[in-house]
């Protein structure tokens, strides 16, 4: 009765099976930059000219800093020679397993996007760009390769110790239906050289080896990606957990990661100067680098979103997209005994990242499908928030995320996977200027820290080359029906502010020493049943503190080896008066959901019919993948006043699904609003 649901997440109708698409591919692209003489990036005229050699089945591009070899015509990256390293890629791997694109499509089939012909696009002293293409043809066995035209590009520039890679993929209208769930480049680096991995300032360290993850050296934990190292080649890792998902980061932060060879004092870095070609917006999490040694450039995936991602491509809808360019950067330093070179290499890679961002969109890219800056447009405006229960005046949307993405419903950007997205954060006054937008038709979306729900501007925005769209003042009216009676958490689309327990000492990954990463430790879901062994959470409004008393994930209770039971959390609160004739609102914002279901009951925990249920929702696997959020969902639940009574009231939140530890939700924020005044 009287319930209103507004889910800002696209309640996906995608019917296919629950696939946890996950792959561990390694990629690494190798380029070299030498720190001492590195001026070359700005000064294209420095350094040797770029030379292109074609042998029978190998294309070599050499600029005197790096020598890149690519298989002809497959387009596999075979090697990058840099400084003292004849090849930074693993020479013992087969050609298809060194540096390659791959795509996961229908039913988990993996297609390595093998090209059929090579073409020289640009060949000057300053730059060589080559293309490896394949045109898809229907064959009797047409399910054997993904219905997609492929154009993989490599660029080597004069004076630049590295390699730019991008892909132009398209589907013609008559291509058959296909799911395309994951697209990426993988680099598999030289195993005996690269042992030190860096993903952020805080997340850096020596890593176990691929062998350490093999039988006899480790124990597989709750899922195959997570292992406990029991007999690692380097005894320092004994008792540590390894799981590639512990190194995931949000798109907005996923712009630099890689490895260092201590023996050579050489760094290999994947630099991603723009997120325009990634899917799911700024907060979608993706893999980076992991044991192998592997580095990935993730373009499309279902990670931390699952089947809600819009990755089904229908016959009749032609599609084309440019992924990248990404930059594979190599640098070197003089090896120094106190290991200062690692910092030197990391800091130089960060400097190079800033340089690449400054050069975006690259004007040296030849494809006409990649517009240069003068062919792009700009959108400016100011976002304000109107919530009269918080402030009579309009409030600036400070540090809000504002973005353009394919037209859709409010919030649809987080599951959008086919187009380009352009995001920026507002300043303290809510002003924003989104630059370098590709021509196209978009909706403008936003979300504002501290406010629930999703903003969408109620008109489409068409970008034409060179135009500047001035939107002026935009006003966001977040969901709000009455004054706040109480609230739990911060509306920030994550569960980070809640109680994240210490890991079980037997399942620690020592690289996650930064407090900001503590939720990425393994096995926190099991801590719930240990910490709350005498009963589920009872939260007393006004007394409890959500940082200590509200567990970050609403997981089932473990009651046996493979047995779990639903859990019911209580929110106890006092209402001094109740207007029985009026309507109250429970604002329920979720930060993640994986086959979970939240049921809401008021004052009667045994009521057969809950006042509200989310129904079973979500595939984002945020709990198992150590994310602190997956996809955001928001529900405004109407509560008739006669459900409450004067004095003590209890809201019962039951997470009903309990087949395993990972059927769960995470809350972002909960608020009870009184009747409108
Ligand atoms: C809640 O707990 C946190 C963590 O212990 C603490 O920093 C904070 O001050 C507490 N808040 C209140 C209102 O007591
Ligand atoms: C929770 O589990 C208990 C015990 O298995 C069961 O009796 C109850 O109906 C379940 N509650 C809900 C809301 O499904």
């Amino acid at each position: 009765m009287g319930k209103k649901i507004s889910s800002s997440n696209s309640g996906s109708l995608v019917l296919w099976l629950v696939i946890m698409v996950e792959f561990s591919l390694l990629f690494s692209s190798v380029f070299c930059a030498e720190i001492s003489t590195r001026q070359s990036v700005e000064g294209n005229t420095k350094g040797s000219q770029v030379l292109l050699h074609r042998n029978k089945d190998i294309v070599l591009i050499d600029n005197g800093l790096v020598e890149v070899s690519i298989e002809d015509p497959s387009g596999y990256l075979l090697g990058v020679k840099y400084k003292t390293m004849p090849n930074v890629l693993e020479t013992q791997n087969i050609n298809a397993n060194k540096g390659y694109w791959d795509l996961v499509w229908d039913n988990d089939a993996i297609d390595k996007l093998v090209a059929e012909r090579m073409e020289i696009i640009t060949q000057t002293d300053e730059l060589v760009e080559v293309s490896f293409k394949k045109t898809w043809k229907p064959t009797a066995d047409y399910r054997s390769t993904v219905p997609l035209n492929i154009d993989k590009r490599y660029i080597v520039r004069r004076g630049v110790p590295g390699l730019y890679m991008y892909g132009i993929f398209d589907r013609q209208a008559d291509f058959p239906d296909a799911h395309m769930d994951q697209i990426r480049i993988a680099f598999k680096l030289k195993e005996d050289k690269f042992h030190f991995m860096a993903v952020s300032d805080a997340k850096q360290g020596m890593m176990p080896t691929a062998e350490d993850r093999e039988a006899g050296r480790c124990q597989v934990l709750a899922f195959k990606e997570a292992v406990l190292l029991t007999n690692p080649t380097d005894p320092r890792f004994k008792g540590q957990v390894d799981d590639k998902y512990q190194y995931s980061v949000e798109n907005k932060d996923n712009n630099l990661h890689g490895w260092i060879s201590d023996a050579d004092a050489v760094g290999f870095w994947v630099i991603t100067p723009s997120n325009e070609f990634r899917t799911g917006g700024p907060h979608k999490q993706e893999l980076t680098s992991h044991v192998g040694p592997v580095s990935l450039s993730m373009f499309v995936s279902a990670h931390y979103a699952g089947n809600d991602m819009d990755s089904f491509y229908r016959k009749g809808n032609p599609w084309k997209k440019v992924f990248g360019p990404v930059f594979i950067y190599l640098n070197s330093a003089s090896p120094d005994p106190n290991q200062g070179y690692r910092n030197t290499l990391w800091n130089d890679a960060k400097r190079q990242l800033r340089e690449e961002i400054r050069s975006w969109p690259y004007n040296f890219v030849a494809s006409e499908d990649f517009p240069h800056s003068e062919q792009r447009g700009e959108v400016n405006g100011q976002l304000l928030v109107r919530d009269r229960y918080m402030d009579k005046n309009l409030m600036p949307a400070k540090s809000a995320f504002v973005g353009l993405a394919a037209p859709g419903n409010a919030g649809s950007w987080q599951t959008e996977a086919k187009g380009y997205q352009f995001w920026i954060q507002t300043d303290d006054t809510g002003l924003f200027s989104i630059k370098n937008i590709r021509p196209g038709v978009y909706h403008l979306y936003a979300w504002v820290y501290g406010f629930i729900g999703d903003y969408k501007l109620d008109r489409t925005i068409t970008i034409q080359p060179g135009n500047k769209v001035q939107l002026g003042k935009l006003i966001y009216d977040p969901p709000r029906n009455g004054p706040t009676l109480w609230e739990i958490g911060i509306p920030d689309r994550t569960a980070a502010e809640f109680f994240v327990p210490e890991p079980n000492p037997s399942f620690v990954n020592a690289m996650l020493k930064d407090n900001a990463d503590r939720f990425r430790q393994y096995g926190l879901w099991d801590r719930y049943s240990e910490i709350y062994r005498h009963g589920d959470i009872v939260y007393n409004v006004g007394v409890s503190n959500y940082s200590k008393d509200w567990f970050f994930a609403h997981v089932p209770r473990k009651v046996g080896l493979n047995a779990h039971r639903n859990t019911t959390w209580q929110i106890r609160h006092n209402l001094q008066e109740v207007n029985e004739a009026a309507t109250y609102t429970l604002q329920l914002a979720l930060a993640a959901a994986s086959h979970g279901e939240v049921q809401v009951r008021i004052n009667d925990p045994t009521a057969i019919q809950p006042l509200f249920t989310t129904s079973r929702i979500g595939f984002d696997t945020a709990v198992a993948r150590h994310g602190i959020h997956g996809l955001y969902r928001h529900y405004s639940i109407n509560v008739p006043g006669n459900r409450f009574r004067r004095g003590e009231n209890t809201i019962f939140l039951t997470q009903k699904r309990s087949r395993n530890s990972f059927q769960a939700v995470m809350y972002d924020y909960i608020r009870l609003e009184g009747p409108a005044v």
Side-chain angles (χ1 to χ4, degrees):
M1 47 193 298
K3 72 182 126 158
K4 180 180 77 181
I5 307 167
S6 71
S7 167
S8 52
N9 174 41
S10 74
S12 140
L13 296 175
V14 181
L15 296 179
W16 27 290
L17 291 180
V18 176
I19 321 167
M20 266 338 300
V21 181
E22 65 203 24
F23 305 83
S24 27
L25 297 195
L26 317 184
F27 20 109
S28 53
S29 58
V30 180
F31 293 17
C32 318
E34 131 188 15
I35 286 179
S36 41
T37 61
R38 198 191 354 75
Q39 299 305 355
S40 40
V41 175
E42 298 91 302
N44 283 0
T45 50
K46 293 191 182 167
S48 322
Q49 67 194 100
V50 188
L51 297 173
L52 172 73
H53 310 278
R54 289 185 81 169
N55 297 335
K56 187 161 63 65
D57 48 10
I58 292 189
V59 173
L60 272 182
I61 313 174
D62 185 352
N63 67 359
L65 297 170
V66 288
E67 182 188 282
V68 175
S69 49
I70 309 158
E71 188 177 70
D72 184 2
S74 68
Y76 288 134
L77 181 64
L78 301 181
V80 181
K81 181 174 163 192
Y82 177 67
K83 294 279 168 139
T84 52
M85 302 190 70
N87 195 346
V88 298
L89 301 182
E90 180 51 64
T91 45
Q92 297 189 28
N93 288 3
I94 58 166
N95 286 356
N97 194 27
K98 290 174 172 159
Y100 55 90
W101 288 77
D102 70 4
L103 186 152
V104 177
W105 63 297
D106 293 13
N107 302 319
D108 280 357
I110 294 179
D111 190 316
K112 284 211 170 169
L113 306 184
V114 178
E116 290 173 340
R117 59 187 191 279
M118 183 270 189
E119 205 179 292
I120 299 169
I121 303 292
T122 309
Q123 182 177 9
T124 67
D125 289 352
E126 299 304 314
L127 176 151
V128 167
E129 176 166 346
V130 290
S131 153
F132 295 84
K133 291 196 173 98
K134 178 178 139 180
T135 307
W136 185 82
K137 294 175 240 24
T139 60
D141 182 22
Y142 78 87
R143 294 271 91 182
S144 63
T145 65
V146 62
L148 185 70
N149 292 330
I150 291 157
D151 183 354
K152 300 185 286 187
R153 301 284 182 104
Y154 294 87
I155 299 173
V156 176
R157 300 169 66 203
R158 184 171 187 149
V160 179
L163 168 67
Y164 295 86
M165 293 175 71
Y166 69 110
I168 307 153
F169 301 150
D170 77 275
R171 286 170 47 86
Q172 304 292 308
D174 60 345
F175 286 14
D177 289 355
H179 292 282
M180 298 199 293
D181 305 315
Q182 179 163 286
I183 304 176
R184 65 181 187 175
I185 312 174
F187 301 96
K188 302 207 169 168
L189 303 187
K190 199 122 180 41
E191 284 188 38
D192 59 355
K193 293 285 194 177
F194 290 96
H195 302 301
F196 187 90
M197 185 178 92
V199 169
S200 68
D201 284 335
K203 244 192 276 192
Q204 308 193 352
M206 293 293 286
M207 289 289 283
T209 63
E211 184 189 334
D212 294 339
R213 294 185 51 99
E214 288 170 8
R217 293 205 174 270
C218 71
Q219 176 197 332
V220 175
L221 297 173
F223 39 89
K224 70 177 185 340
E225 293 82 5
V227 300
L228 181 64
L229 304 167
T230 49
N231 179 28
T233 42
D234 179 343
R236 279 180 299 177
F237 293 113
K238 191 173 162 140
Q240 296 269 317
V241 168
D242 177 65
D243 179 351
K244 64 185 173 182
Y245 290 99
Q246 295 183 312
Y247 309 113
S248 296
V249 296
E250 292 189 357
N251 281 345
K252 69 180 168 59
D253 304 316
N254 191 353
N255 43 28
L256 171 65
H257 57 91
W259 293 81
I260 289 171
S261 163
D262 285 323
D264 305 272
V266 160
F268 172 96
W269 309 105
V270 177
I271 290 181
T272 312
S274 167
N275 277 323
E276 66 180 37
F277 43 78
R278 284 200 176 122
T279 59
H283 307 293
K284 176 151 187 338
Q285 296 158 89
E286 290 291 5
L287 296 170
T288 54
S289 289
H290 61 262
V291 162
V294 173
S295 286
L296 302 175
S297 177
M298 300 295 305
F299 297 109
V300 170
S301 86
H303 297 141
Y304 304 92
N307 293 355
D308 285 327
M309 287 309 285
D310 176 28
S311 53
F312 182 52
Y313 294 74
R314 257 184 210 296
K315 184 171 175 172
N317 297 336
W319 172 83
K320 182 188 255 186
K321 186 166 173 179
V322 176
F323 293 97
V326 293
F327 180 46
I328 307 312
Y329 177 59
L330 291 162
N331 59 10
S332 71
S334 72
D336 106 41
N338 57 28
Q339 304 197 334
Y341 64 86
R342 286 183 186 155
N343 276 337
T344 306
L345 294 173
W346 172 249
N347 288 330
D348 174 69
K350 291 204 310 191
R351 181 208 50 73
Q352 188 67 34
L353 167 64
R354 290 191 296 274
E355 177 65 32
E356 299 302 319
I357 291 172
R358 256 197 305 278
S359 320
W360 189 266
Y362 297 141
N363 61 10
F364 53 82
V365 172
S367 170
E368 61 192 26
D369 293 312
F370 183 80
H372 295 173
S373 55
E374 72 280 5
Q375 298 159 320
R376 296 178 173 228
E378 186 178 316
V379 169
N380 302 293
Q382 183 179 24
L383 185 62
L384 303 166
V385 184
R386 178 163 54 202
D387 182 341
R388 65 186 173 91
Y389 290 100
M390 286 179 73
D391 196 322
K392 289 194 304 290
N393 304 310
L394 292 175
M395 296 168 274
K398 289 182 193 169
S399 303
F401 283 85
V402 181
L404 294 183
N409 298 325
S412 57
W413 50 270
Q414 62 175 350
T415 53
E416 193 281 314
K418 292 174 181 153
Y420 300 96
Q421 298 199 19
F422 301 86
W423 288 84
I424 198 133
Q425 274 186 280
T426 58
D427 68 10
D428 280 354
T429 63
L431 284 169
F432 62 88
S433 175
I434 309 178
K435 298 194 160 67
N436 293 320
I437 307 164
R438 285 169 159 266
V441 177
Y442 303 94
H443 274 155
L444 181 114
Y445 305 95
W447 77 271
V448 188
Y449 179 90
F451 297 88
I452 53 177
D454 272 288
Y455 173 78
K456 177 188 145 181
L457 177 63
D458 207 8
R459 58 170 261 209
T460 55
I461 294 178
T462 302
I463 298 292
Q464 273 152 4
N467 72 350
K468 289 190 162 85
V469 178
Q470 304 293 346
L471 294 173
K473 286 185 164 53
L474 307 175
I475 296 176
Y476 175 43
D477 292 294
R480 169 70 84 174
N481 295 325
T484 299
L485 299 180
W486 50 259
E487 59 187 344
I488 299 174
I490 303 167
D492 63 355
R493 297 181 169 233
T494 84
E497 70 273 30
F498 297 131
F499 172 47
V500 178
E502 291 297 315
N504 179 325
S506 311
F507 298 116
V508 170
N509 179 336
M511 206 196 286
L512 307 174
K513 47 195 179 296
D514 185 8
N515 195 42
D517 276 323
R518 67 199 202 283
F519 58 82
R520 296 208 184 270
Q521 293 285 4
Y522 176 85
L524 303 185
W525 51 86
D526 278 343
R527 303 292 331 269
Y528 179 80
S529 309
E530 295 159 17
I531 293 168
Y532 302 94
R533 63 186 172 281
H534 300 303
D536 290 331
I537 287 175
V538 177
Y539 190 90
N540 288 292
V541 170
V543 178
S544 303
N545 176 341
Y546 62 73
S547 352
K548 295 190 290 208
D549 304 318
W550 191 262
F551 200 69
F552 76 103
H554 198 160
V555 291
R557 173 175 297 281
K558 197 169 177 173
V559 292
L561 201 53
N562 278 313
H564 297 82
R565 206 164 58 208
N566 65 46
T567 46
T568 297
W569 294 5
Q570 300 178 34
I571 304 169
R572 295 192 183 156
H573 58 109
N574 216 282
L575 296 178
Q576 281 170 1
E577 57 185 69
V578 172
N579 182 347
E580 295 205 355
T583 300
Y584 293 66
T585 306
L586 185 67
Q587 303 284 10
L588 182 68
L590 300 183
S594 291
H595 305 274
E597 174 174 358
V598 180
Q599 296 190 338
V600 179
R601 290 177 175 77
I602 307 226
N603 288 330
D604 177 5
T606 59
I608 294 178
Q609 284 297 324
L611 171 79
F612 171 79
T613 177
T614 60
S615 302
R616 197 184 77 168
I617 44 168
F619 310 92
D620 61 35
T621 327
V623 169
R625 301 311 187 201
H626 332 288
I628 197 67
H629 73 87
L631 297 182
Y632 178 76
R633 290 175 165 79
H634 167 253
Y635 304 88
S636 284
I637 303 162
N638 288 355
V639 185
N642 63 13
R643 293 298 187 102
F644 289 120
R645 55 194 176 217
R646 190 166 307 162
E648 169 114 332
N649 287 271
T650 306
I651 293 179
F652 296 88
L653 300 176
T654 299
Q655 204 290 100
K656 182 182 161 67
R657 307 284 171 158
S658 56
R659 248 191 6 242
N660 60 52
S661 308
F662 306 121
Q663 290 197 295
V665 303
M666 290 182 197
Y667 299 100
D668 165 36
Y669 172 78
I670 305 173
R671 176 167 79 213
L672 183 66
E673 295 169 358
V677 290

